[in-house]
Each structure stands twice: as C-alpha cells, then as structure tokens.
Amino acid sequence: MERIIQITAGRGPAECTWVVAQVLKKVLEEAQDQKLETVLLQREPGTENGTIETASIAIKGKSVDQFVKSWTGTIQWIGQSQFRKMHKRKNWFIGIFEIEPQQNSSISENDIQYQAMRSSGAGGQHINKVSSAIRATHIPTGIAVVAMDSRSQHQNKKLATERLLKKLEEEKLIQLKNHVGKQWENQLHVERGNPVRIFTGSDFKKNKVEKSYKGTRQKLKSDLRNEHN
C-alpha cells in the first residue's frame, strides 16, 4: 500500500518554509521508526537557506494508513521568527495534504515480448554464431532492453526481464514525480486552527494536541447568551 503526502507552506512567509523543512525531518524520522519505506518525490527550496516551500513523499508499509492520518491536516509551530527577530507573531501554520494517487498499472508477463538475436561486439566467433542475446520489449510502453552477457539464452532472458522491470519502475517514478508536481499547485490554502500536531521553540519539540471540545462548547454557550441579551 502506497500513500503520497505533500508538506506545504502554502502562501505563508519564510517562517512557514522553515517549519516545512523541520516537519519534513520529523516525518521521515517517524516513518523510519515505524519501519515505513519513504521516497522523496519532490522538494522545492524556499528563499532562505535551509527552508522548503513544499515537499512530497511516497510512503509504503503496514501502518501507512494510520501514519498518514496522524499527519494530514494543519501543523502549528509556536515560536519566534527565525528571520525577523522583532516580529510579534508567534503562531505559524503549514499544511499536510494527501496527493491523489495515479492509477496503478501492474506489469503482466503477457505484456513483455522476447526476441532472440545474435550477440554483437567482442567475444570471438562462437558468440556471433549463436542467437543467444535477448531483447525484451514492454508492449504497452515500447520500452526495450537487451541482454547479451551470457552465452546462455535462458540466462540472458532472465537478465533482460530484470533490467526491463527496473527500467519500468524508474519510468513509473518519473511519471509519479510529474504527477505530484502538477497537483501541489492546487494545495496553496492552509487552514489556520485545529492543528493535528503542534511544535514549539527553535528545538521544534512536539506538544500534545488536546482532543477536547470544551472551548468550542463554551464559545457556543456564550454566543447563545449574547443572542438572548
């Protein structure tokens, strides 16, 4: 199971891009602790050194659903601006969104066409007399590879298959990066409030998010009293 998340400063100032860089580190560290596999698909640097405008990560593993759910939403950092020391603002917000996945196109053996061919290059007369080289072509995409490492046609077929699958995976990753790049532009609005995680200070310590609706209930009661007055 693979999920893709995007960490973004939205339209936030440089302080928010600093928060994105810190959150990216936290996400990768926590994923590693939970034995999840991660691939950094895209990262756009901010205007200040060490800052990031947006970053997208592909995450795989058994607990990936719970992991993504625990991070998706607004992230709040409470602290003094790293770039404007006299700035009064202490609350900064960034967003983590889930990217819509691409359609998963599995690779079938029926989609691979094999063609025996004579090996070329150095190797003496024997290697040129036998059609031991193998060209493997992925019919849907037209991507092809050739294996002529061995005098055994069977061994070359195995090598060609491995190389073709690797090349298809590389192509799939390129397409995924392009897909993510097109989608992140739609995630510019970051909601302020109701953070799923809160961090504080220059050391970026995690604060516990209170799952209490007491404040909301009190506000509703107050609004109701004001309506009757």
Side-chain angles (χ1 to χ4, degrees), residues 180-218:
V180 168
K182 290 176 183 177
Q183 287 207 26
W184 85 266
E185 295 175 359
N186 299 324
Q187 309 287 2
L188 293 176
H189 177 69
V190 176
E191 178 187 358
R192 294 187 180 186
N194 300 319
V196 294
R197 299 206 186 196
I198 300 173
F199 297 91
T200 58
S202 58
D203 52 358
F204 220 74
K205 286 186 177 180
K206 182 181 176 183
N207 277 19
K208 185 177 180 182
V209 178
E210 296 292 339
K211 299 292 183 180
S212 171
Y213 298 96
K214 184 178 178 181
T216 304
R217 289 197 299 268
Q218 287 179 341

Side-chain angles (χ1 to χ4, degrees), residues 59-75:
I59 309 168
K60 291 181 182 179
K62 290 183 178 179
S63 59
V64 66
D65 289 344
Q66 184 179 354
F67 179 84
V68 169
K69 186 178 179 181
S70 72
W71 278 101
T72 304
T74 299
I75 308 295

